[in-house]
Amino acid sequence: MGLDFGVAEVSGRGKDDQSKEMQEYFGELLEYDHIKIKHEPAKLVQDVEDRKKLLDDCVSSHYSVYLSVHEKMKSLGGVLRDCSECLKKIEDVDVPDLQGQANEFRKKASQENSTREALRHVYSHQGMLLDILEIPSLMDTCVRAGNYDEALELKSFGRRLRMIHGDIPVVVMLSRDIEAVLEVMVEQLLEKLQSSIQLAECLKVVGYLKRMNAFPSDAVALKKEFLERRGCWIDASLRELGDSLPPYEYLKKITDIYRLQMFDILMQYRAIFYSKDGAVFDVNDPSFSWSYKRMVFYLAEMQTNLPLIEDGGSLASVLDHCMYCGKALARVGLDFRPTVFPMFQDAAYANFERLVQVADEVFQEMIATHRWVAIPSVLNRAMEMSKNQKEDEKEEESAKVLTKGIEPPIVLVEHPPLAVYTNGLLAGFNELRHCAPSAIKDRVAECLRVSFQKLAAALEERRMMNVDAEELEVFNKAYSLVASVQLPFLVECFSTIYGSPRTQIIPETLRPSEASS
C-alpha cells in the first residue's frame, strides 16, 4: 500500500513537469516560421527514437538498482503494516494521565521560555541595569566629595524611576538606599552650619536643603534647625575657652564671641530667610526665642563672673567690651546694654565696699594695740622723701588719685593707724574711679558715712581707755587731724569722682567745730 502511494506521488509530479514542458514547447513552436514547422515532425520522431535508446541504455546499466529498490519497498511495506497495527493497539488504551502530564509539561515549558526571554532581555541591557544599581553608591561618593548638585540630580532620577516603575522590587530597594544617602547628605549639610562659614556658603547649604525638601512637615523647621546648628558654632567657641581663664579674660572673650558670631548669625538668617528690604519680622519668628535664650546665657555669665573681678581697671575694660558689643548687636535688635548697667554698678560698688571694709578692719586691729607716741619731725621729713620701693610702693600707688592733683596729707604719717586707714580708702577710690557709675553715688556716700561712724566709734572707745598724759596728748592731736585733715580730704576725693555728696557724710562728733571743742 505504501509502495503504490509513492508511485502515485511520483507520477503526479511527472505530469506536472510534462505539462510545464509542453507549455514551454508550444510557446517556442508559435515563434517558428513555416519552414521550421514543416521540418518539426521529422525532428520530433528523431527525438523520440533517441530518448528510447537512452532509456534502454539506462535500464540495462541500472538493473541491479531497480531490483534493490523493489526489495526495500517490500520491507518498508512490512514495517508500515506493523506500525499500523501498533497504532491500532494504542488507540484502544486510555491515556488521560498522559494528556495531563503533557499539558503540565507544556505549561512549564512556556514559563521557562518566558523566564529565558526575560533573562535574555536583562543580559542585553546589562550595562544600563548596572548603572541604575550603582546610583546609591554613586550618590554616596558625590556626597562625600561635596558634589551636592550631582547627588541631587541622581536623586531626581531615582524618584522619577520610582514613579514609573514603583511596582518593581529592585526599584523599591533602590529608593530606600537613595533615601538613606539623602539622610547622610542632610546631616552633612547641617554639620557645615556648625562651623565658621560665610553668608555665601550658608546660602548654598540652605538652598540644597530646600531643594531636598528636608523639612517638609513644618514651615519654620528649617529656620529653627539653621539657628540651632549655627548656635552649635557659638557653643564650640565657648567650650574652647575652657575653665582655666580668669573672670576678666573669660568675660572679654565671651563678649567678643557674642559680638562677632551672634551678629554674623543673625545677619545671615535675615539675608537667607528675609531677603526683601523692609521685611517685617513676626513676633513668633524662631530668631526671637533663639536670641533670647542666647542673651539669657550671656547675661547669666556676666552676673556670675563680674563679682569675681576685683580690679577696677579690669572691670572698666569689660564694660567697654560690653558697650561695644551691645552697640554692634543693636543693629540686629539685641541691644542688651541697659540690662548690664546694674550688674556693673553692683560690681563696682562691691569692690569699693570690700576695700572700705578691709580698711575698717585693719584700723580696728591697729588702734586696739597702737601706742600713741610722738614721731620726730625729722623722721617725718625722711619718710616723706623716701623712695624705698619695698616699704612704700603700695602706699604710693594707692595714694595716686589722678584727679585735680589731689595728694594725701603727709601729716597723717605721724599716726600710722590714720595713714593706713587713709591708704585703704584711697585704694577703694582708685579702683572706683576706673568704673564709677553715677547711679551708685548715694550708695558710695552711705558706705563712707558708715565707715566714718565706725572710725569715730573706735576713736571714742580708745579715748575712754586708761592712757597716760603724754599718750593722751598725742591721741588728741590725732583726733583733731581726723576731723580737720583726714575726713575732709577723703570727702574731697569722693567729690572729685562724683561731685559734692547730697547729704553730710562726716559724723557730727568728727566735724571740725565739735572736734576742736
Side-chain angles (χ1 to χ4, degrees):
M1 180 176 62
L3 181 60
D4 296 338
F5 175 78
V7 174
E9 184 179 359
V10 172
S11 62
R13 288 198 299 268
K15 290 180 179 179
D16 293 336
D17 294 338
Q18 289 179 1
S19 62
K20 186 176 181 182
E21 291 179 0
M22 290 296 292
Q23 290 178 0
E24 292 178 356
Y25 174 73
F26 285 128
E28 293 178 0
L29 187 62
L30 292 174
E31 296 178 358
Y32 292 169
D33 54 7
H34 65 283
I35 298 174
K36 282 188 176 183
I37 293 174
K38 182 178 180 180
H39 294 88
E40 189 65 21
K43 185 178 179 182
L44 292 175
V45 171
Q46 185 63 35
D47 288 341
V48 169
E49 291 178 356
D50 293 339
R51 288 180 182 274
K52 285 182 179 182
K53 186 177 179 180
L54 182 62
L55 179 61
D56 292 340
D57 293 340
C58 180
V59 169
S60 61
S61 62
H62 296 87
Y63 181 75
S64 59
V65 175
Y66 285 106
L67 292 178
S68 177
V69 169
H70 182 70
E71 291 176 357
K72 295 296 181 182
M73 289 181 67
K74 284 184 178 181
S75 63
L76 181 60
V79 172
L80 290 175
R81 284 191 295 269
D82 294 338
C83 289
S84 179
E85 292 176 359
C86 291
L87 289 175
K88 289 180 179 180
K89 292 179 181 180
I90 291 175
E91 289 177 358
D92 298 335
V93 178
D94 188 13
V95 289
D97 187 46
L98 179 61
Q99 185 69 28
Q101 291 181 1
N103 293 334
E104 186 68 22
F105 175 77
R106 188 181 298 109
K107 184 184 297 183
K108 289 185 178 179
S110 178
Q111 293 176 356
E112 292 296 331
N113 188 44
S114 301
T115 303
R116 180 171 174 273
E117 290 297 328
L119 292 176
R120 181 180 298 174
H121 185 71
V122 170
Y123 180 75
S124 63
H125 297 83
Q126 180 182 3
M128 184 184 298
L129 291 174
L130 288 177
D131 291 340
I132 293 175
L133 292 174
E134 289 178 355
I135 288 177
S137 60
L138 185 59
M139 278 188 63
D140 184 69
T141 303
C142 292
V143 170
R144 294 181 186 277
N147 300 324
Y148 300 118
D149 290 317
E150 290 77 2
L152 290 177
E153 290 179 1
L154 291 172
K155 185 262 299 185
S156 300
F157 176 78
R159 289 192 173 175
R160 289 197 302 269
L161 193 65
R162 176 68 181 272
M163 293 176 62
I164 299 173
H165 305 288
D167 55 337
I168 301 177
V170 175
V171 176
V172 176
M173 180 191 68
L174 284 175
S175 298
R176 288 199 299 265
D177 294 342
I178 289 174
E179 292 299 328
V181 176
L182 288 177
E183 292 178 1
V184 175
M185 180 177 172
V186 170
E187 185 61 30
Q188 185 171 331
L189 289 171
L190 292 176
E191 287 178 358
K192 283 182 174 289
L193 295 177
Q194 298 178 198
S195 59
S196 177
I197 58 177
Q198 301 302 318
L199 175 60
E201 189 67 19
C202 287
L203 285 170
K204 287 183 179 180
V205 171
V206 175
Y208 288 134
L209 293 174
K210 288 182 177 180
R211 288 172 60 186
M212 296 170 63
N213 197 20
F215 302 94
S217 59
D218 190 358
V220 298
L222 180 58
K223 297 179 181 179
K224 292 181 179 179
E225 192 67 25
F226 176 85
L227 292 172
E228 291 299 326
R229 295 290 180 155
R230 299 301 286 149
C232 293
W233 175 38
I234 298 179
D235 296 335
S237 300
L238 295 177
R239 285 193 297 269
E240 291 178 359
L241 299 180
D243 301 328
S244 59
L245 289 177
Y248 165 68
E249 293 293 337
Y250 176 74
L251 289 181
K252 284 183 64 176
K253 290 184 179 298
I254 191 177
T255 301
D256 290 337
I257 289 173
Y258 265 69
R259 176 176 59 84
L260 297 174
Q261 299 185 8
M262 282 286 291
F263 179 79
D264 287 345
I265 290 172
L266 290 175
M267 290 299 292
Q268 291 169 358
Y269 178 85
R270 295 187 177 191
I272 294 172
F273 298 104
Y274 294 91
S275 57
K276 295 182 180 179
D277 296 335
V280 179
F281 281 80
D282 186 6
V283 293
N284 296 322
D285 189 83
S287 61
F288 284 91
S289 59
W290 181 82
S291 302
Y292 174 77
K293 293 178 181 178
R294 288 289 168 183
M295 296 313 301
V296 166
F297 172 79
Y298 174 74
L299 295 175
E301 292 297 307
M302 295 291 294
Q303 187 73 37
T304 303
N305 290 275
L306 275 179
L308 304 178
I309 300 177
E310 298 179 353
D311 179 59
S314 299
L315 192 65
S317 178
V318 174
L319 178 60
D320 291 339
H321 271 70
C322 286
M323 295 301 103
Y324 185 48
C325 177
K327 182 179 179 180
L329 294 183
R331 296 171 58 188
V332 291
L334 294 180
D335 190 359
F336 62 89
R337 287 175 289 182
T339 310
V340 297
F341 282 137
M343 300 180 188
F344 282 94
Q345 294 170 7
D346 294 340
Y349 176 75
N351 286 337
F352 178 78
E353 184 182 33
R354 175 180 54 81
L355 293 174
V356 171
Q357 290 177 353
V358 171
D360 291 341
E361 293 173 358
V362 172
F363 180 77
Q364 295 288 344
E365 294 176 358
M366 291 188 66
I367 200 172
T369 58
H370 180 69
R371 292 193 59 192
W372 299 92
V373 295
I375 299 178
S377 58
V378 177
L379 181 60
N380 292 343
R381 182 63 59 183
M383 292 177 63
E384 180 181 357
M385 300 301 296
S386 177
K387 301 296 182 181
N388 191 336
Q389 295 296 326
K390 293 182 180 179
E391 297 179 358
D392 300 332
E393 180 178 359
K394 183 177 179 180
E395 294 182 358
E396 288 179 2
E397 290 192 4
S398 64
K400 289 181 180 179
V401 182
L402 303 178
T403 52
K404 298 184 181 180
I406 297 178
E407 295 182 359
I410 196 64
V411 69
L412 296 178
V413 178
E414 297 179 5
H415 308 284
L418 302 183
V420 171
Y421 177 78
T422 302
N423 285 332
L425 263 64
L426 288 179
F429 282 124
N430 281 325
E431 296 298 333
L432 183 63
R433 69 184 174 85
H434 295 289
C435 180
S438 59
I440 63 172
K441 174 182 179 180
D442 294 339
R443 295 166 65 185
V444 172
E446 179 63 19
C447 181
L448 287 176
R449 188 183 65 80
V450 172
S451 179
F452 292 166
Q453 288 179 348
K454 293 179 180 179
L455 173 67
L459 291 174
E460 289 296 332
E461 183 179 355
R462 180 61 176 171
R463 175 184 284 180
M464 297 303 175
M465 296 177 62
N466 295 326
V467 294
D468 55 20
E470 183 179 356
E471 187 175 357
L472 180 60
E473 181 181 357
V474 176
F475 177 81
N476 289 332
K477 183 179 178 182
Y479 194 88
S480 176
L481 287 175
V482 170
S484 60
V485 177
Q486 183 187 30
L487 296 188
F489 167 73
L490 294 176
V491 172
E492 184 179 3
C493 292
F494 173 86
S495 301
T496 302
I497 298 175
Y498 285 113
S500 300
R502 295 186 178 91
T503 58
Q504 182 60 257
I505 60 177
I506 299 178
E508 293 183 359
T509 56
L510 291 179
R511 293 174 187 172
S513 59
E514 286 80 354
S516 60
S517 62

